[in-house]
Each structure stands twice: as C-alpha cells, then as structure tokens.
Amino acid sequence: MPSVDWRWPKQHRPRWKFRRGQTCGFLVFLLLAFLFLATHPTTRTRVPIFNLPRGPTYFLLRQRIAWLPQHNLNLPPPEGKNGRYVKFSTEVSFLGWNNCLNERLMNAHLAYTSNRAYVFNDYWWANQHYQFPPAPEGGASTPFPALLGGPVVGEAWTPTTGNASAVSPYHQHPRSISKRWWEKVCPPARRRIFNLAVLKHTIPGGGRDAPGPAIFEFWQRLLSDAPESCVEVINDESVPGAEHDDFPQVFDLGFWGSRRLLDLWAEFAASPVSRLLHPSRIVESAIEKNLDAGVFVGAGRGFGGGRPIVSPSKRNPFERMLAVHLRRGDYIEHCAWMCSWGAGHYGWAQLDFLPDVANRRLPASDDPQREEKALKMCLPGAEDLVWRAAEVKREWEASRNEAETLESVYLLTNESGPFLEELVVALYAAGWKTIATTQDLRLNMEQTDVSVAVDMEIARRAAVFVGNGWSSFTSNVIHQRLASGKEPMSVRLL
C-alpha cells in the first residue's frame, strides 16, 4: 500500500509568517496577557493557569527595589562599598505579619541609632495566613515595600508631607538596603558576625530578661563601636559559650509580651523610623479604590439585615468612624488559652497613658473572675461588642464638641460567617448609620495579598480605634496611630 503524505498541500499550507510590526505587537499582547493574569482582581481561591504563581509576582516592585539609588557601590560612606550596614539574620519568619513587623521596626530603629543601614527582606507568610493557598513548597513571600513605606524599606530619610524641599535632619544616615544588595555589597568575607546565642545571656541587668533600655543599649554599643562596614547578627548554638533560646531574636516574644519594652516608647515613637512610616503604594491604592466605590459609607451594600444603600459621600468617612478589631478564627481557641493562664496585654497596648490601661479595664491578677472577664474582652459576643461600641462612642463624644460625633463602624475582622451578619444587624439596630467590614473591601490581587496592611491603615485613619489588647495587630495600629499624631483618648481596648 503506497504511503500517504499527510502534509498540507503546498499551495494550501497556512502561512505563519509575521511582519516585524506584527511580531512586536504579538509579543506585547503576550506580555500584557501575562501581566493581566498576574495582577487581575481575583478571589482567594484562584486556580493557577499555565502553572503561574497563585499570588502576585510583584515584578515591577521588585525592579524598583533593585534600582534603589543606594544600591550603588560608588556612593560615599556611610553608603556604597565602604558604607555601614547591619543585617539581623535572626528576624522571625513564617509567623503573622504583625509578629514580624514589630521586631523589624525596632531593629530598624536600632540600626538608625547605630548609624548603620538596615537590611530589609521579604515577609515570609505563615502558611495558614497566606491569601492564595496552598502556599508553594518552601513558603510564600511578599516584598516588604508592598506592605508599608518609609525609611525601613529603603526610602529617603525625608518627610513625605509638609515642606518636602527642606533638608531632613536625618538625611546623613545611610538608607536601608535590600537583602539582595547586601549579598553584593557585603560578601561573607567582609562580615563581622555577632552571635546572639553567645551574647544575649551576657546583657547586663538580666540577660535575655533585662530591661528594654539595657537590651537596646547593649546592642547599640556593639553595632556603633564595630569598625567593620558589614555586621550580621546570627544565632548559632553549636559554638562554645552558646545557650539555647526558644526565641532567638534581639527583641523577642518575651520582650514584646512584657512591660520591659515600655521604657523604649518615647524614643521609638520619636524616631524617624516611626515618624516617617507610611502606607505602601499598594495599600494607598486600595484605600483610594474603596473610597471611590463608597465602601466606607455603605454604597452598594445589600446582604443581611436590610442594610441601606447609601450614595458615596465626598467628605472624609474616617473622621466619624469607629474602627473595631474583631479577631476571631484562631482566636476562638487562642483567647481561651491566653486567658486561662492569666496572660496580660501585648506590646504597646500596655502603655500606661492609654485610657483603658490607666483606668485598669483589664482585671487584676487576683480578681477571682479575671479569666471570665478577660475572655469576654478577648473574644466578645455580639451583644458585648454592641455595648462596648456604644460606650466608647458616648465617652468620645462627651470629650468632643458636637461636630465630632461617631456615625459609622468599620469591623477589622477575619470573621465571615453568621456571627458577623448577626453583629452587623445588631449594630444597625443600635443606631449606627453605616457598617462596613473587611469582607466588603474591593481588592485586586496585590491588594488582597496585603489586605492586613490595608485594614491597619483604615484603623490608623479612623477617628477612634478599639483594639484587642492581646493582639500584635492592635499593638502595631496603636504605634502607628500615636506616632502619626492621634491622641491617646482615640485608642481604646475591647
């Protein structure tokens, strides 16, 4: 049997030949299609296409980080080839964002006071917090500058508001650099190593349990006095003189959960690391998008309880907003565990000048009903929340003039079930004009990835914030509110 030629007849073969302009157009189309898939608004259960990453790629942001002006070997000291740098390789990862953030901000302040450039890295997600599960093997990360802005992520020591042309008093300090640039400017042969496992227990006044100022001054002296350009803090328990540490950080979990940090507040709050901290471009864009959509004034709302549909308002919705941190999910068990052994408040929620701390809202340790009362604060029911919101509103308005009333509630929450619907209905019944929640936000993929920072910025802007005193999220919101000029009376606790 003769063989059959299955090829197209020559005269009918398709011609796949492109002219130069057509080829360029086709390549541009492919690039735009890729960027569309990488950044298009998405649900949290997005299915990857062509094995693309589930979360955003941050291609353009990573390029901006690589092109930071301080990433230049030819700059004069304290930057460039002979600049002064410090990398804290002991920083915790794979925990909640705010457990990581408070440590990084304090490390950046320590680097600043030591006249060294802080080395920032990606934030590595705990798998249970990653917005696009499952997390890839090895973990998922987000560039630090996607979550916040300021000198801590390499921006200039220059205010972003006010007289931007004025010379900043901090401009002579070296700017933060990325981990990738650290590997170039500070190769291993140039690094001076400080081993946390050997040094931490030698801190005067109590070792790892020393007062906050003693810990800070110990490390500041080491970093300032070291003549080497490149200093790295590591934790190696295999060498002589090392001690095991369950929390091997310079400012560890025990530090943040104790009152030992409070004596550092005044200096830390006044530091340009705190004062120049601001939302990232991605967070700002999320706020603007939801302002334009009227989310904060109830536009387009429709689920449960007969919520009204309100036209977007031109005035600032934050000036009459009560933001409430309603942490549930993992806190349903976590609160019970913490309250059962008498855990106190965390981080900056312990500041003595905050009204609920000064008035001893948290029951004393010898109160026989402490556990029950504390659990009601850490994990309040719907009725408790409605009552607390009304109480805070009443006390705030009593201290203001009539023009500064609270009208809306924004619930910063990881709750999305029937409990949330019940609470929203109850708040409307109590007289609040508008209720919005984290679940109502309209976010694209990058904004979804950093939605925790979006919520924090809403909480920072709100007229009054009611936080959960056991939460690192609340602690960092308190820091950002006070550092940006909000008064203590506007910071309350559940």
Side-chain angles (χ1 to χ4, degrees), residues 212-441:
I215 296 173
F216 194 91
E217 290 164 10
F218 175 83
W219 288 102
Q220 183 188 34
R221 184 175 66 255
L222 286 178
L223 299 181
S224 298
D225 293 348
E228 293 82 4
S229 289
C230 304
V231 171
E232 183 176 12
V233 180
I234 69 167
N235 188 72
D236 182 359
E237 298 179 0
S238 66
V239 301
E243 288 191 0
H244 173 70
D245 190 348
D246 289 332
F247 306 106
Q249 290 82 43
V250 173
F251 302 103
D252 59 28
L253 183 63
F255 170 84
W256 291 104
S258 73
R259 292 181 58 83
R260 292 182 288 125
L261 83 161
L262 298 182
D263 287 335
L264 295 177
W265 168 255
E267 180 185 346
F268 178 60
S271 168
V273 171
S274 296
R275 293 180 60 242
L276 301 181
L277 190 68
H278 63 84
S280 70
R281 296 181 187 180
I282 297 172
V283 170
E284 284 276 15
S285 69
I287 300 292
E288 291 304 314
K289 176 180 181 178
N290 284 275
L291 280 170
D292 291 344
V295 169
F296 304 117
V297 291
R301 307 288 299 285
F303 97 86
R307 295 187 188 186
I309 296 178
V310 184
S311 298
S313 171
K314 293 296 183 183
R315 68 171 170 80
N316 177 8
F318 303 108
E319 64 187 5
R320 295 173 185 266
M321 179 185 286
L322 175 70
V324 181
H325 183 201
L326 173 61
R327 178 75 175 267
R328 287 178 62 82
D330 57 331
Y331 259 43
I332 294 175
E333 293 184 1
H334 196 49
C335 283
W337 175 73
M338 289 189 297
C339 295
S340 67
W341 60 269
H345 284 165
Y346 178 93
W348 305 121
Q350 305 172 84
L351 287 166
D352 290 320
F353 56 78
L354 297 178
D356 292 317
V357 178
N359 295 330
R360 301 183 183 278
R361 176 168 171 77
L362 182 65
S365 57
D366 59 355
D367 186 328
Q369 294 183 309
R370 176 188 167 98
E371 181 177 347
E372 178 184 348
K373 293 177 181 178
L375 185 58
K376 203 171 185 179
M377 296 175 186
C378 187
L379 194 69
E383 291 183 4
D384 302 318
L385 283 162
V386 172
W387 180 87
R388 181 61 174 155
E391 181 182 45
V392 170
K393 171 181 166 69
R394 183 171 59 253
E395 293 177 0
W396 172 255
E397 293 175 352
S399 67
R400 311 286 103 181
N401 58 50
E402 292 184 359
E404 297 184 66
T405 59
L406 298 177
E407 297 178 351
S408 67
V409 173
Y410 181 81
L411 298 171
L412 310 118
T413 184
N414 58 346
E415 175 65 60
S416 60
F419 177 88
L420 184 60
E421 294 190 32
E422 175 190 346
L423 174 59
V424 169
V425 171
L427 286 168
Y428 273 123
W432 292 93
K433 293 184 178 179
T434 305
I435 317 296
T437 81
T438 302
Q439 311 306 326
D440 298 315
L441 294 177

Side-chain angles (χ1 to χ4, degrees), residues 6 23 94 119 133 138 162 178 180 191 242 267 269 355 384 429:
W6 294 105
T23 303
F94 302 105
V119 179
S178 70
R180 186 174 181 180
R191 300 174 192 172
E267 180 185 346
D384 302 318

